[in-house]
Amino acid sequence: MSTPNPIQMQKFLSGVDYPCQRDELVDHAQSQGAPDDILDHLRQLPDREYDGPNAVSAEFSNT
């Protein structure tokens, strides 16, 4: 599976309240209508607290 575009992923995380946990990111993206490839990739992120969109993008690109 190829890595989804981090910019596309951030569109579905717009408005999320940081800091937050991985599951909160997945829930928020799902509520914003994110496609399955984005949601699956978010679910693969390490289960930790993310302090902002840059931290999520860095992990998202490395997963």
Side-chain angles (χ1 to χ4, degrees):
M1 173 169 52
S2 64
T3 303
N5 184 325
I7 294 170
Q8 181 187 21
M9 175 269 308
Q10 285 294 347
K11 290 179 184 177
F12 295 106
L13 295 180
S14 178
V16 73
D17 290 326
Y18 291 98
C20 65
Q21 299 292 321
R22 177 195 62 204
D23 291 344
E24 293 172 276
L25 295 171
V26 173
D27 290 345
H28 185 82
Q30 190 169 25
S31 74
Q32 297 299 309
D36 288 340
D37 63 332
I38 297 279
L39 295 173
D40 291 342
H41 211 72
L42 285 171
R43 288 182 185 109
Q44 294 176 29
L45 296 177
D47 188 13
R48 66 175 183 88
E49 185 173 271
Y50 293 88
D51 61 2
N54 290 340
V56 176
S57 289
E59 285 291 349
F60 192 85
S61 296
N62 292 329
T63 302

